Amino acid sequence: MFLPQGQRKEKGGIRRVYTRPGALTSALRHAWGLEALKKIDGKRVSDDRHHALDALVVAAVNEAQVQSLTKSYQEWEQQGYGRPLREVKLPWDNFRRHVLEAYEELFVARPERRRARGEGHAATIRQVKTRDEREIVYERKAVTALKESDLALIKDPEKNARLVAVLRAWIAAGKPTDPDNMPRMPNGYVVNKVRLISRNKPAVPVRGGSADRGEMVRVDVFSKPNKKGKVEWFLVPIYPHQVMNKKEWPQPPMRAVVAYKDESEWTIMGPEHCFRFSLYHRSYIKAVKSSGAVIPGYFAGLHRGTGAINLLLHNDPTNSIDGIGAKTLANLAKYSVDRYGTCAEVKKEVRTWHGEACTSHSPPD
């Protein structure tokens, strides 16, 4: 497709792309004692390094060998052997040992995701009302999912005392769901859902209510020496609704997570805090604990309740290291990773907001 006529694999053309049958590649892995790196008991091992393993196997045989092995493979199959190509000459001496050593050194490069994609907030909008000078979030819940303990959370219990009594009697009766026995108000209205006090706190204001935040776009990392001179780390979460709304957020968020505290009690970044870098999904970092233990991995998220970060293993995105406390780490370093897996430490970054460099420490109004 991308080559001029006469150089493609057409009649009279030049063959430039050589494919290898997957069954033959698998048979070679078996023959060379490498199959356990990719599959165990026929199930794929969750390790992305298997792509490099297959590339190595394919590179270890030339076209003439492929033709010979394919013929041998077919002969073994015709004779009914369960494991064809059980005896195939190794590409070189100590081949398997060299492969295993190289396999252990492999590093899987993944691109950092910087674009602020995804929903600005969750689709569900919950009602928010002020009671006793504090905002309370209410959520609607199906009566079939109610427990008796939920009745104490029904909105305006004095006003809805009759509703509470109807639901309590219905729950006591075993919560029958046939149409004739669903809970009904005296006026005949069938109760399907009720509004309860939620544990959620107001998040993203939407049409007079509140919606859950979208996935974090990034986390801005600051540092500051404490009274003993030891560096402490401060993590400021950035959400899509903040990035998208330049009017409401002319300046970036400046509050860093404090474990088990309400956002209003989070630490405000000031001139004494030094911005280090921004963490995006799949930013590669190394967290060093006070014990000296180094935890490398791709950034997977920040828990806004505890201030702990989660990392993904470089070779297995399904396997994560969760709950790494960040504030008291001995060091936290970010690395750039090119497509060949070469890592270089990011010594300094410039904080940006709405596409421009941001150096102000003033929090948004």
Side-chain angles (χ1 to χ4, degrees):
M1 175 186 289
F2 300 106
L3 296 170
Q5 268 191 322
Q7 295 187 29
R8 307 173 190 167
K9 181 49 179 149
E10 303 166 337
K11 184 177 276 189
I14 302 171
R15 184 180 180 188
R16 295 179 178 274
V17 179
Y18 294 84
T19 60
R20 301 287 184 259
L24 178 60
T25 305
S26 176
L28 286 172
R29 288 197 308 269
H30 274 289
W32 293 339
L34 303 174
E35 181 67 4
L37 295 177
K38 184 170 182 177
K39 293 182 180 180
I40 296 178
D41 296 331
K43 294 183 179 180
R44 175 74 58 83
V45 175
S46 185
D47 191 328
D48 287 343
R49 291 177 295 180
H50 73 83
H51 296 293
L53 177 66
D54 284 342
L56 189 151
V57 171
V58 167
V61 290
N62 58 34
E63 187 64 15
Q65 290 172 316
V66 168
Q67 296 299 330
S68 174
L69 291 171
T70 300
K71 183 178 179 181
S72 173
Y73 184 86
Q74 291 170 344
E75 290 174 354
W76 282 79
E77 277 194 322
Q78 290 170 2
Q79 295 177 42
Y81 288 105
R83 290 186 61 191
L85 299 184
R86 284 176 292 183
E87 295 181 6
V88 180
K89 184 178 179 181
L90 293 172
W92 61 79
D93 292 340
N94 298 316
F95 174 77
R96 184 174 183 276
R97 178 170 64 82
H98 292 163
V99 171
L100 294 177
E101 291 173 354
Y103 192 81
E104 288 302 315
E105 296 296 322
L106 279 176
F107 177 78
V108 180
R110 302 184 189 278
E112 185 180 58
R113 191 183 72 192
R114 284 181 170 249
R115 285 185 287 185
R117 289 182 170 179
E119 57 184 12
H121 56 77
T124 302
I125 301 174
R126 299 182 177 89
Q127 187 181 80
V128 179
K129 294 293 182 181
T130 302
R131 297 285 187 270
D132 298 325
E133 298 184 352
R134 72 184 184 97
E135 290 185 319
I136 297 178
V137 178
Y138 294 93
E139 62 182 352
R140 287 168 59 82
K141 189 171 185 178
V143 294
T144 52
L146 286 178
K147 297 180 292 187
E148 188 163 358
S149 58
D150 292 328
L151 300 181
L153 301 176
I154 287 181
K155 181 183 177 183
D156 300 330
E158 296 84 5
K159 179 180 177 181
N160 292 310
R162 183 173 294 178
L163 171 63
V164 172
V166 168
L167 290 172
R168 180 168 281 112
W170 179 72
I171 292 173
K175 298 199 292 188
T177 55
D178 56 286
D180 293 334
N181 290 301
M182 286 292 288
R184 291 176 181 271
M185 296 298 288
N187 61 3
Y189 174 76
V190 177
V191 182
N192 291 308
K193 291 187 176 183
V194 293
R195 204 178 296 275
L196 307 177
I197 296 174
S198 169
R199 292 183 178 180
N200 296 329
K201 295 180 180 179
V204 183
V206 182
R207 298 196 295 274
S210 174
D212 290 341
R213 301 171 183 84
E215 183 181 349
M216 288 182 194
V217 173
R218 74 183 199 221
V219 174
D220 288 349
V221 179
F222 291 78
S223 67
K224 173 195 165 187
N226 60 18
K227 294 179 180 179
K228 296 182 179 180
K230 184 179 179 181
V231 172
E232 292 184 334
W233 303 89
F234 300 84
L235 308 183
V236 179
I238 309 292
Y239 291 92
H241 71 277
Q242 297 166 330
V243 175
M244 297 172 183
N245 196 334
K246 192 172 183 178
K247 181 178 179 181
E248 294 292 331
W249 292 92
Q251 295 179 339
M254 299 297 288
R255 291 184 180 271
V257 175
V258 176
Y260 309 111
K261 295 287 186 179
D262 186 80
E263 187 172 349
S264 62
E265 300 178 71
W266 289 2
T267 304
I268 298 176
M269 299 296 94
E272 69 277 13
H273 294 87
C274 176
F275 174 74
R276 304 296 286 269
F277 44 76
S278 294
L279 294 179
Y280 298 85
H281 182 61
R282 292 198 301 258
S283 292
Y284 188 70
I285 64 176
K286 290 183 180 179
V288 182
K289 291 190 171 184
S290 55
S291 63
V294 180
I295 307 175
Y298 286 104
F299 180 70
L302 164 69
H303 193 295
R304 62 178 283 118
T306 64
I309 59 175
N310 302 331
L311 302 182
L312 298 176
L313 300 184
H314 76 95
N315 61 314
D316 183 5
T318 66
N319 196 346
S320 63
I321 306 170
D322 301 333
I324 303 170
K327 186 173 183 179
T328 58
L329 287 172
N331 191 38
L332 184 61
K334 177 182 176 180
Y335 293 79
S336 63
V337 181
D338 66 18
R339 65 183 62 191
Y340 300 108
T342 303
C343 298
E345 185 177 353
V346 177
K347 298 294 185 180
K348 184 70 175 177
E349 277 187 351
V350 175
R351 195 184 195 201
T352 60
W353 190 243
H354 298 309
E356 298 179 358
C358 173
T359 57
S360 173
H361 290 279
S362 301
D365 296 332

